[in-house]
Each structure stands twice: as structure tokens, then as C-alpha cells.
Amino acid sequence: MDSYRRRNPQAALMALEAAAASARGGFACMFSSSDEYENALIMERRAQGLYGRQRHHWPAVMFIGCVLAVAATVLLLG
């Protein structure tokens, strides 16, 4: 193998560069930046319904509680 490198170093260099390019291709990412990745991730999760609108009943419960507290105060003081 050593004699092969001595006979044609240009071919050996080109083969080495081709092997390195091939190895790098295995680690390629389809996203050019982390922002692009996160946008795609959020869009995928929205499509799955993970970021759907959650309905909380606390505001209505708190409003009714406050109305009852004010009504009780008015009835006791009045």
C-alpha cells in the first residue's frame, strides 16, 4: 500500500478527499440553523395538536366567587 501512495500521490489524495466528503455527508442536517429546526419542530407539534388552545375555567370560577363574596358582604352589612 505504501508503494501505491508513492506511485500516484494525486490519486491517493483525491481518494482521501472523496472518502472525507462521503463521511461528512452522513452527518448532514436538513436544517441550516437551530431557528429553522425549532420552527419545524413547533409546526410538527402544532400539526399533532400538542399546542392546541387549552380552556381554563379559573377566570369564570374566580369571577363567580368574587360576585358571591360581594353579595354576601352587601347582605350582611345591609
Side-chain angles (χ1 to χ4, degrees), residues 1 39 78:
M1 186 160 190
N39 285 335

Side-chain angles (χ1 to χ4, degrees), residues 20-49:
S22 175
R24 272 187 248 117
F27 297 109
C29 183
M30 57 191 269
F31 304 105
S32 61
S33 68
S34 62
D35 289 333
E36 188 176 324
Y37 167 74
E38 289 181 17
N39 285 335
L41 183 65
I42 289 170
M43 286 176 32
E44 179 64 27
R45 288 182 177 173
R46 280 185 181 155
Q48 293 174 356

Side-chain angles (χ1 to χ4, degrees), residues 3-70:
S3 63
Y4 172 74
R5 279 190 237 155
R6 281 189 217 156
R7 276 191 270 167
N8 196 350
Q10 187 66 26
L13 181 60
M14 289 175 58
L16 183 61
E17 286 176 353
S22 175
R24 272 187 248 117
F27 297 109
C29 183
M30 57 191 269
F31 304 105
S32 61
S33 68
S34 62
D35 289 333
E36 188 176 324
Y37 167 74
E38 289 181 17
N39 285 335
L41 183 65
I42 289 170
M43 286 176 32
E44 179 64 27
R45 288 182 177 173
R46 280 185 181 155
Q48 293 174 356
L50 295 177
Y51 292 135
R53 184 174 173 187
Q54 296 177 352
R55 301 193 62 148
H56 296 287
H57 298 291
W58 282 109
V61 170
M62 293 297 286
F63 177 74
I64 291 172
C66 289
V67 167
L68 290 175
V70 169

